[in-house]
């Protein structure tokens, strides 16, 4: 169905009327339950154990007759809630931006022409265009349909697609699942054919909208990292609660002051509780996905980001991913005569002009396929003939045949894979044509064979092979390699990531493009060869292949599974309806945003909005950076909680004056929270990030070695801070000794933060720009100065300004700790 045919009597709505109806009926969408408002974020934050402990401490201060401490603590609670709102709001903003980018679109006839618009803008009375691979955007009545099959399993549970027919304006609505019905429904899938449909219901008034409330409550299962971190946080929380209860009992029995004992117990619980972990797991993937979207890579499932860093094989299509997808007819071949149509224009002789005439009969007009568009420019379809039958391209029949009626007789033409078209013909020159196709393919050209059949009469056969075809010639199209592809392939090779080209093109064409792209040489594995291999043999053959050619979509799934059988973590690109199984089976499915179908985009975790391979490599780089920074942040959090816990626990156990009360923990959290989320999230990548092999897919975010390094670093910081306090206690008043120990803790915290930023340690971190780190470090030092020298605040914290020599001792403790971490790094390797 071409555009002129589609619009005959169907001009659609005008823009003004569509806007009026949109305002009256609302957007074509079910209510968005995924988006959280600030009240929901506040409610979630208020239920966190940390805030419960803070409120409990504020009540205890009131019971102790210390209202100033209670009010100050409540103000700190409000400040932390404000920080939570900012962090969660930033995350929610990023997630909403991703939802907006991934929102489906639809083709509607507006103001007499086809327009691609957001599906949410579809209104009653709109005339929508449906094509193979589309999701139906609204409930509608088909007004012009040919050979349409719809998968309505989402609404009916029946997996078999149903046929549809054109209807009339007065037809009563029918239920989903009806064979031969003219009604289509929102959310269902166009499996085959093209159609025009008149929208009758949108949004909550559709069949899908009626069950939308139930769908809105479906919560996706948590990812592996989330489950892993929950277990670690739960273990630390249980340990902290147990130790805190023992401390309360011991302190209470020893002193008889149970309220003070409870305060010490709350401080200890707060010091152990790793409340930063959930924030890290939320902020990093969301902000990372938002950054990726700005680089033309849309993340549909945030869990894919953790897998990107471990991807070891990229299976990529040739056309449009490695090449520019700008097809241009380059050469014509017939009976050994080659004509460069791109250079010399239309061919002078009748034989080659006959080849172009046959091409014109085999072209599908108004197709989005670049091949069809390129052929149509040089060979437009005939206006005086009537199309009566089309044989579409299938996996078993990689060619398109069309029959046209010219008066009483029929004429047919077919174009497609040279070996498939040649097999239809009985011509003596078939072998010569196949040799010529291989030669043209070696030049990197996409080659199609063309055949014709004349003098046909109905009835038309169901199988085009029953027609008497004669081979007319070959057409060769050029699709240049994208700029930067060799460099991107080299970057993958340096990163230990293998690139496997998977294409439906001729083996010679695929091999030529692979050489231009810089892929390793070797034998090309073809679809017919794969069909003869069992699963293990295929896995063995793929181990030495860089190119798979003449691949049908169903074989992509076999390739993915074979690679995974050998332990590979696979990313697979795809754009068609039949690519969906392979995209779902891959560890990371990657759909094409420019030329991909709705079904492919829904099946994939990532969508390349610009269809460029370089964007996929950038996504891989970003995935590695995000995972590495998450690990650094988690390691830092685990490390800093050790000295805080020791300083909260050990002095009461030894009978020394308490160092850390809830107020002190809150001040420390004002530094730790933004440092662990914002500073590490914005940390630049390591220089050697893309020169490392992929990490194992099952590698823990905080594995034993990483956790051991973090705990050892934290214990070293704890030993120095407690030593500083032990030395100060007999020489200074308790308030000054407490201030000295707290100063050492704050400075050690900055040292730990600095040491965990880059694998090269503190020196490498200082050479690496990260403005947020310096802002947080400056704020921490300013807070420490206020706590020591602002009398009102110092009184609340039970501080007195220590002599300069003891502040220098605190600074020396932090410097010694940082130096010790460098030694630990050399012994154990990177702290992360």
């Amino acid at each position: 169905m071409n555009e002129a045919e589609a619009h005959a009597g169907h001009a659609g709505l005008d823009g003004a009327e569509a806007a009026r109806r949109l305002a009256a009926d609302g957007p074509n969408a079910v209510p968005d339950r995924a988006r959280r408002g600030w009240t929901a974020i506040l409610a979630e934050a208020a239920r966190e154990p940390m805030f419960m402990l803070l409120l409990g401490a504020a009540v205890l201060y009131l019971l102790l007759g210390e209202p100033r401490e209670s009010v100050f603590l409540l103000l700190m609670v409000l400040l932390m809630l404000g920080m939570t709102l900012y962090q969660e709001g930033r995350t929610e903003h990023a997630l909403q931006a991703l939802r907006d980018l991934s929102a489906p679109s639809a083709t509607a006839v507006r103001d007499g022409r086809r327009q691609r618009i957001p599906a949410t803008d579809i209104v009653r009375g709109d005339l929508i265009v449906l094509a193979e691979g589309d999701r139906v955007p609204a409930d509608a009545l088909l007004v012009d349909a040919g050979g349409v099959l719809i998968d309505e399993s989402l609404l009916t549970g029946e997996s078999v697609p149903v046929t549809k027919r054109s209807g009339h304006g007065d037809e009563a609505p029918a239920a989903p699942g009806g064979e031969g019905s003219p009604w289509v429904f929102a959310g269902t899938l166009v499996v085959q054919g093209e159609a025009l449909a008149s929208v009758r219901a949108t949004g909550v008034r559709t069949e899908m909208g009626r069950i939308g409330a139930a769908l809105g409550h479906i919560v996706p299962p948590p990812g592996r990292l989330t489950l892993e971190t929950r277990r670690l946080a739960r273990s630390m929380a249980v340990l902290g609660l147990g130790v805190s209860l023992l401390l309360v009992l011991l302190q209470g029995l020893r002193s008889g002051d149970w309220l003070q004992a409870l305060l010490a117990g709350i401080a200890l619980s707060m010091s152990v509780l790793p409340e930063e972990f959930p924030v890290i797991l939320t902020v990093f993937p969301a902000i990372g996905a938002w950054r990726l979207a700005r680089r033309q890579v849309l993340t549909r499932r945030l869990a894919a980001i953790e897998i990107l860093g471990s991807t070891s094989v990229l299976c990529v299509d040739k056309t449009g991913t490695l090449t520019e997808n700008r097809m241009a007819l380059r050469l014509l071949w017939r009976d050994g005569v080659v004509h460069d149509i791109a250079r010399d224009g239309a061919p002078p002789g009748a034989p080659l002009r006959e080849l172009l005439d046959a091409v014109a009969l085999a072209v599908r007009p108004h197709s989005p396929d670049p091949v069809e568009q390129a052929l149509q420019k040089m060979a437009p379809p005939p206006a005086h003939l009537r199309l009566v039958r089309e044989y579409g391209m299938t996996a078993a029949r990689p060619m398109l045949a069309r029959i046209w009626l010219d008066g009483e007789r029929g004429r047919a033409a077919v174009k497609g894979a040279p070996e498939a078209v040649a097999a239809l013909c009985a011509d003596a020159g078939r072998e010569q044509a196949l040799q010529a196709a291989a030669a043209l393919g070696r030049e990197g050209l996409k080659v199609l064979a063309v055949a014709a059949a004349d003098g046909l009469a109905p009835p038309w056969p169901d199988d085009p092979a029953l027609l008497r075809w004669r081979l007319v010639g070959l057409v060769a199209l050029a699709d240049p390699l994208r700029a930067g592809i060799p460099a991107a392939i080299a970057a993958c090779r340096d990163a230990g990531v293998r690139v496997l080209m998977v294409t439906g093109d001729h083996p010679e064409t695929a091999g030529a493009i692979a050489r231009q792209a810089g892929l390793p040489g070797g034998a090309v594995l073809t679809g017919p060869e794969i069909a003869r291999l069992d699963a293990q043999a295929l896995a063995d053959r793929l181990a030495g292949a860089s190119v798979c050619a003449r691949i049908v979509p169903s074989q992509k799934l076999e390739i993915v599974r074979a690679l995974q059988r050998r332990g590979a973590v696979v990313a697979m690109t795809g754009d068609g309806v039949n690519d969906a199984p392979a995209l779902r089976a891959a560890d990371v499915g990657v759909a094409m945003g420019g030329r991909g179908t709705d079904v492919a985009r829904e099946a994939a975790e990532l969508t390349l909005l610009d269809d460029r391979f370089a964007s996929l490599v950038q996504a891989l780089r970003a995935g590695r950076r995000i995972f590495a920074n998450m690990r650094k942040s988690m390691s830092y959090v685990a490390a800093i909680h050790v000295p805080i816990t020791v300083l909260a626990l050990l002095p009461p156990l030894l009978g020394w004056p308490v160092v850390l009360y809830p107020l002190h923990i809150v001040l420390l959290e004002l530094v730790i929270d933004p440092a662990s989320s914002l500073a590490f999230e914005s940390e630049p990548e390591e220089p050697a990030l893309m020169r490392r092999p992929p990490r194992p897919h099952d590698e823990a975010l905080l594995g034993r070695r990483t956790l051991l390094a973090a705990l050892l670093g934290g214990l070293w910081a704890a030993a120095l801070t407690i030593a500083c306090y032990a030395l100060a206690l007999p020489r200074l008043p308790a308030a000054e000794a407490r201030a000295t120990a707290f100063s050492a803790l704050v400075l050690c915290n900055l040292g730990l933060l600095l040491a965990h930023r880059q694998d090269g340690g503190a020196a490498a971190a200082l050479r690496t720009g990260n403005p947020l780190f310096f802002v947080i470090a400056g704020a921490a030092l300013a807070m420490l100065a206020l706590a020591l020298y602002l009398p009102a605040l110092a009184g609340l914290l039970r501080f007195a300004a220590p002599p300069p020599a003891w502040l220098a001792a605190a600074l020396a403790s932090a410097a010694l700790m940082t130096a010790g971490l460098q030694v630990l790094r050399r012994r154990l390797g990177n702290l992360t």
Side-chain angles (χ1 to χ4, degrees):
M1 176 177 17
N2 62 37
E3 195 163 339
E5 292 167 341
H7 292 169
H10 302 300
L13 298 175
D14 60 59
E17 177 61 20
R20 188 189 67 78
R21 295 189 185 190
L22 183 62
D25 295 344
N28 177 36
V30 294
D32 184 6
R33 293 178 174 83
R35 185 170 187 173
R36 299 181 302 160
W38 66 271
T39 53
I41 294 173
L42 275 181
E44 289 179 16
R47 290 194 295 269
E48 289 293 323
M50 178 65 76
F51 289 100
M52 297 293 187
L53 290 171
L54 287 171
L55 291 175
V59 172
L60 283 177
Y61 275 121
L62 281 177
L63 294 177
L64 287 168
E66 298 177 354
R68 288 191 312 157
E69 285 81 349
S70 179
V71 170
F72 181 76
L73 195 56
L74 288 174
L75 288 175
M76 291 299 100
V77 169
L78 291 177
L79 181 58
M80 289 186 70
L81 281 174
M83 289 176 58
T84 301
L85 265 180
Y86 171 74
Q87 290 176 349
E88 293 284 344
R90 188 178 179 212
T91 303
E92 189 61 34
H93 174 75
L95 290 173
Q96 186 58 40
L98 291 175
R99 285 193 285 267
D100 292 342
L101 281 172
S102 61
S105 57
T107 302
V109 180
R110 293 265 181 96
D111 299 314
R113 59 187 180 88
R114 294 185 183 188
Q115 302 179 35
R116 196 72 177 168
I117 62 174
T120 53
D121 291 350
I122 295 292
V123 298
R124 280 181 306 106
D126 254 329
L127 197 63
I128 55 175
V129 182
L130 301 176
E132 182 179 313
D134 286 349
R135 284 281 178 197
V136 180
D139 290 1
L141 178 71
L142 295 177
V143 296
D144 189 356
V148 173
L149 284 177
I150 303 288
D151 178 358
E152 297 183 343
S153 58
L154 188 65
L155 298 175
T156 66
E158 296 293 334
S159 59
V160 179
V162 293
T163 59
K164 297 291 180 177
R165 62 172 175 83
S166 300
H168 307 289
D170 56 354
E171 291 208 30
E179 188 76 27
S181 164
W183 291 90
V184 292
F185 302 92
T188 58
L189 168 66
V190 182
V191 176
Q192 177 183 299
E194 293 185 358
L196 282 175
S198 176
V199 174
R200 298 303 174 87
T202 61
V204 295
R205 291 168 291 278
T206 63
E207 289 289 330
M208 176 64 74
R210 295 188 182 100
I211 64 172
L215 292 175
H217 292 294
I218 297 175
V219 178
R224 182 182 63 84
L225 289 186
T226 302
L227 293 174
E228 171 192 320
T229 309
R230 279 181 185 173
R231 286 194 294 269
L232 178 61
R234 192 181 300 117
S235 299
M236 292 180 69
V238 170
L239 175 65
L241 180 62
V243 175
S244 298
L245 288 174
L246 288 175
L247 178 64
V248 170
L249 288 173
L250 182 63
Q251 187 79 348
L253 290 172
R254 177 187 292 169
S255 66
D257 191 342
W258 288 97
L259 291 180
Q260 288 289 348
L262 276 173
L263 272 180
I266 288 174
L268 180 58
S269 295
M270 291 170 63
S271 69
V272 176
L273 194 65
E275 52 99 16
E276 298 88 0
F277 283 175
V279 177
I280 294 169
L281 288 178
T282 303
V283 169
F284 280 60
I287 302 300
W290 175 72
R291 293 185 195 277
L292 276 177
R294 297 175 67 185
R295 297 182 181 182
Q296 302 298 302
V297 180
L298 177 61
T299 309
R300 296 184 63 89
R301 298 176 183 89
L302 294 183
I305 289 178
E306 74 174 82
I307 306 173
L308 277 172
S310 59
T311 298
S312 57
V313 179
L314 296 180
C315 296
V316 297
D317 194 7
K318 176 186 76 68
T319 304
T321 306
L322 297 180
T323 63
E324 294 185 357
N325 204 24
R326 288 193 295 107
M327 291 287 181
L329 185 57
R330 171 82 180 278
L331 299 174
L332 301 178
W333 178 95
R334 185 171 189 184
D335 298 330
V337 177
V338 179
H339 177 75
D340 192 330
I341 195 169
R343 184 188 63 203
D344 302 329
L352 289 177
R353 284 201 299 272
E354 183 187 358
L355 173 57
L356 278 183
D357 290 341
V359 170
L361 295 179
V363 166
R364 178 180 281 168
H366 303 286
S367 170
D369 188 338
V371 172
E372 300 285 345
Q373 293 173 359
L375 294 176
Q376 188 178 344
K377 286 180 182 178
M378 299 303 297
H384 63 286
L385 302 182
R386 182 166 65 90
L387 180 67
V388 291
R389 183 65 189 264
E390 178 177 291
Y391 303 92
M393 189 176 296
T394 66
R397 190 176 61 213
M399 50 191 171
L400 173 69
R402 308 185 106 203
I403 301 178
W404 300 78
L405 202 57
D406 184 3
E408 296 297 324
R409 309 303 291 175
R411 298 172 57 189
V414 60
K415 71 175 189 309
E419 58 272 25
V421 173
L424 297 177
C425 307
D427 303 59
R430 288 189 306 171
E431 191 60 36
Q432 183 187 12
L434 291 176
Q435 291 175 2
L440 293 172
R442 283 192 287 274
E443 297 179 27
L445 300 174
K446 183 179 183 67
V447 185
L448 301 175
V450 182
D454 299 311
L456 307 179
W460 318 117
D462 292 331
D463 186 350
L466 298 176
L467 298 176
R468 296 175 61 86
W469 297 100
R470 57 185 175 83
L471 190 62
V472 182
L474 306 174
V475 294
L477 300 99
D479 185 16
L481 196 72
R482 286 186 184 271
I485 289 296
I489 296 288
C492 289
R493 186 164 52 247
D494 292 342
V497 177
R498 178 180 163 208
V499 179
L500 179 65
M501 181 198 293
V502 181
T503 177
D505 269 343
H506 193 284
E508 296 290 353
T509 304
I513 295 297
R515 288 189 293 273
Q516 294 175 30
L519 288 174
V524 175
L525 185 60
T526 65
E529 290 176 297
I530 289 176
R532 295 191 294 269
L533 299 174
D534 60 26
Q536 186 57 50
L538 175 58
D540 294 340
R541 287 290 303 277
L542 284 171
S546 294
V547 179
C548 296
R550 282 292 185 246
I551 300 299
V552 298
S554 61
Q555 289 177 326
K556 285 188 173 183
L557 178 59
E558 296 178 43
I559 291 170
V560 168
R561 288 175 172 167
L563 291 168
Q564 290 172 333
R565 189 173 287 109
R566 294 180 69 94
V569 178
V570 182
M572 167 67 80
T573 66
D575 55 10
V577 176
N578 295 326
D579 290 334
L583 293 174
R584 289 194 183 96
D587 298 282
V588 181
V590 184
M592 301 296 110
R595 66 181 193 274
T597 60
D598 290 347
V599 179
R601 286 190 286 269
E602 291 168 6
E605 284 79 18
L606 301 180
T607 299
L608 301 183
L609 299 178
D610 57 4
D611 293 359
R612 295 172 62 247
F613 176 73
S615 296
L616 180 55
V617 177
Q618 286 298 318
L620 188 146
R621 177 189 294 271
R624 290 189 173 196
R625 172 186 164 274
I626 291 166
F627 187 89
N629 285 352
M630 286 175 69
R631 172 175 283 175
K632 291 174 185 177
S633 181
M634 300 278 268
S635 182
Y636 158 71
V637 168
I640 187 55
H641 275 274
V642 175
I644 297 175
T645 301
V646 169
L647 216 55
L649 174 64
L650 203 55
L653 288 180
L654 296 176
W656 298 352
V658 173
V659 176
L660 297 180
Y661 287 101
L663 285 175
H664 304 105
I665 305 293
V666 169
L667 288 179
L668 290 169
E669 288 294 338
L670 290 178
V671 177
I672 296 170
D673 273 3
S676 62
S677 56
L678 302 180
F680 277 104
E681 192 284 323
S682 61
E683 182 68 19
E685 66 182 49
E686 297 282 346
L689 182 75
M690 291 296 283
R691 295 194 295 274
R692 302 170 180 167
R695 62 177 176 80
H697 180 34
D698 57 354
E699 182 175 301
L701 184 60
L702 268 182
R704 291 182 179 178
R705 183 174 174 279
T706 303
L707 190 57
L708 174 64
L711 294 178
L712 287 176
L715 284 171
W716 175 235
L720 291 170
T721 51
I722 204 72
C724 191
Y725 186 48
L727 290 173
L729 263 179
R731 296 169 178 82
L732 297 175
E736 291 184 10
R738 182 180 293 113
T740 300
F742 186 78
S743 300
L745 182 57
V746 169
L747 294 171
C748 283
N749 176 34
L750 294 181
L752 284 170
L753 177 56
L754 192 65
H756 282 82
R757 279 184 51 208
Q758 290 284 314
D759 288 347
L766 288 173
R767 292 193 301 268
T768 305
N770 186 345
L772 268 175
F773 164 75
F774 293 103
V775 169
I776 291 169
L781 294 175
M783 178 201 73
L784 179 61
L786 290 173
L788 295 179
Y789 297 109
L790 188 65
L793 184 55
L796 286 173
L797 297 171
R798 307 181 189 189
F799 284 168
W806 285 97
L807 285 179
L811 181 60
S813 299
L816 186 59
M817 185 221 59
T818 306
L821 291 182
Q822 288 294 108
V823 174
L824 180 65
R825 190 184 299 275
R826 283 197 293 270
R827 292 291 180 88
L828 292 181
N830 292 331
L831 298 182
T832 57

